Amino acid sequence: MFIVRTVILWIIISTIINAYLMTLPMLVLRKRDYPANYLIQHNNRIDFQQNTECAAFSTAYLLRHFGMEDEGEALYTRFPSKTKAGNVYPKGIRTVLRKKGFKTNYYKGNINTLKYEVSKGTPVIVFIKVQKDRNNLHFVPVVGYDKEYIYLSESLRRLVNCDDEHKGYNRKVPINEFKKLWNIKRIHMLFYSNTYIAVDTTQS
């Protein structure tokens, strides 16, 4: 009984700490209509990170989508919510975007809700694993989808698997594979699988 209480208390404390450091995602499960295939058609470039700057590179990509020129490397130097290892919590991305005048939502959903959000025409930043069998986490913009694939603007050069020219994406991931990458749940992070950051363009 003592062990059970200790585990429950530890989970509660971890959740409170994560809510402060990362913000809690808002659960969205309502199915909405969206096109079967969609790709954001917008001139943008994909820059490549050197270390652990994926949050800044994803944010810079989103800013460029709205015509605000920025580079991930420069943005990272002043990025908030960093860990000692240099990683960034989702809260950091939202803080930067808010300071730039954007309203964001941090959602926990599924493939359907993600596709619906992308179909609005704005890149959506997802929180995934770098590899399905490892715990290293990664932020990357989703820029399209179809019945088989999720299309990404990937800032890790080694993960690029298709030609970016005239497409706006440089990585495509089969949806079943993407679901495994998107499952980042751990005992101290129970609520962060299937999460993504979306800009609310109606209020920005």
Side-chain angles (χ1 to χ4, degrees):
M1 193 67 177
F2 173 76
I3 294 175
V4 173
R5 286 180 179 175
T6 302
V7 169
I8 292 172
L9 181 61
W10 186 76
I11 289 173
I12 291 171
I13 291 171
S14 297
T15 301
I16 292 170
I17 292 172
N18 284 334
Y20 173 74
L21 293 175
M22 302 170 66
T23 72
L24 280 174
M26 183 167 40
L27 184 65
V28 285
L29 295 174
R30 180 182 173 190
K31 179 145 187 204
R32 298 173 184 265
D33 292 333
Y34 54 81
N37 308 306
Y38 190 85
L39 183 64
I40 295 171
Q41 302 288 345
H42 197 280
N43 288 332
N44 204 338
R45 70 173 188 277
I46 304 175
D47 295 336
F48 294 109
Q49 65 188 83
Q50 298 299 317
N51 296 297
T52 57
E53 310 98 340
C54 60
F57 275 70
S58 296
T59 304
Y61 183 88
L62 194 57
L63 291 173
R64 291 195 299 271
H65 174 83
F66 288 104
M68 303 173 70
E69 175 57 35
D70 215 327
E71 295 184 359
E73 194 170 342
L75 191 60
Y76 180 77
T77 61
R78 57 186 188 277
F79 222 82
S81 300
K82 283 184 197 169
T83 67
K84 289 183 179 180
N87 300 310
V88 175
Y89 295 114
K91 185 178 181 179
I93 294 175
R94 300 188 70 192
T95 299
V96 170
L97 291 173
R98 186 180 69 247
K99 288 180 178 178
K100 295 285 188 178
F102 296 97
K103 175 178 170 51
T104 64
N105 291 305
Y106 187 29
Y107 291 128
K108 177 180 176 65
N110 53 38
I111 290 295
N112 290 325
T113 64
L114 175 62
K115 286 182 173 182
Y116 169 73
E117 202 64 48
V118 173
S119 74
K120 294 179 181 179
T122 299
V124 175
I125 298 174
V126 290
F127 198 17
I128 62 175
K129 295 177 182 176
V130 176
Q131 295 174 234
K132 63 182 178 181
D133 55 348
R134 296 193 179 180
N135 287 327
N136 295 19
L137 301 179
H138 185 45
F139 294 106
V140 62
V142 177
V143 296
Y145 63 83
D146 56 30
K147 292 181 180 179
E148 296 182 58
Y149 294 98
I150 297 293
Y151 295 90
L152 309 174
S153 293
E154 180 57 67
S155 60
L156 280 172
R157 192 184 297 272
R158 62 188 170 86
L159 297 180
V160 170
N161 62 8
C162 50
D163 184 5
D164 170 54
E165 189 177 4
H166 307 306
K167 292 180 181 174
Y169 65 89
N170 60 359
R171 182 184 178 194
K172 61 180 185 178
V173 183
I175 287 176
N176 285 338
E177 187 76 15
F178 180 83
K179 287 178 180 178
K180 295 174 185 176
L181 295 174
W182 210 15
N183 179 16
I184 63 171
K185 181 169 62 180
R186 303 183 211 168
I187 188 66
H188 65 289
M189 283 174 53
L190 292 177
F191 305 110
Y192 295 91
S193 289
N194 299 6
T195 61
Y196 52 96
I197 297 169
V199 169
D200 186 344
T201 55
T202 64
Q203 299 186 39
S204 300

